[in-house]
Amino acid sequence: MMTKDQVLETAKSMFLQDSRRKEVLDFMTQNGLSGTEAEIMASNAYQAIKDERQALIQEQKKEEKKSGWNRIILGALIVLVSVIVLFATGKFYYFIAIGGIVLIVQGYNKLS
């Protein structure tokens, strides 16, 4: 059996790992907390990690935007290479250009 402090810390980490409130309450019930006490402790745990969770979400959004720009740049380079190959050989490799365009579109979607 865990102490109340251990249950609270575990509940916080469960919320950070995107566990649902019901899962946290079930965990608390398994560890001897019930009804109102479990509800209050779950609310306290969520309030304690709320700012940290928001910071993690903002960081993820920043990384997605960065990934979007990387895809756009890579797609543009691939399209540029296909145009260079067209001028050098006289043959247009459309599948290379389509691959580049797909990357550009995916990158743009990540930015939105």
Side-chain angles (χ1 to χ4, degrees):
M1 197 58 103
M2 299 174 93
T3 66
K4 287 185 180 183
D5 289 339
Q6 290 172 325
V7 171
L8 181 64
E9 290 303 314
T10 304
K12 287 178 186 178
S13 68
M14 288 175 74
F15 278 127
L16 281 175
Q17 295 171 2
D18 289 332
S19 293
R20 302 275 181 230
R21 185 175 180 85
K22 182 180 181 335
E23 293 169 343
V24 173
L25 289 172
D26 289 344
F27 166 75
M28 289 180 172
T29 303
Q30 291 171 356
N31 283 283
L33 298 172
S34 62
T36 308
E37 185 180 22
E39 288 283 343
I40 291 170
M41 190 174 281
S43 294
N44 290 342
Y46 186 77
Q47 289 300 323
I49 60 99
K50 194 170 156 184
D51 292 338
E52 188 175 343
R53 185 180 168 115
Q54 285 297 90
L56 285 173
I57 290 170
Q58 291 298 332
E59 186 65 31
Q60 287 174 345
K61 285 182 181 178
K62 244 192 257 183
E63 288 299 317
E64 283 182 18
K65 281 192 175 188
K66 190 175 182 183
S67 171
W69 282 112
N70 289 342
R71 283 181 180 265
I72 289 172
I73 292 168
L74 181 60
L77 286 174
I78 290 173
V79 170
L80 180 64
V81 165
S82 71
V83 170
I84 291 171
V85 168
L86 170 66
F87 286 130
T89 64
K91 293 182 180 177
F92 184 64
Y93 294 98
Y94 63 91
F95 53 88
I96 295 174
I98 290 173
I101 291 169
V102 166
L103 283 174
I104 291 170
V105 170
Q106 287 176 345
Y108 179 74
N109 285 338
K110 283 188 178 265
L111 291 179
S112 307

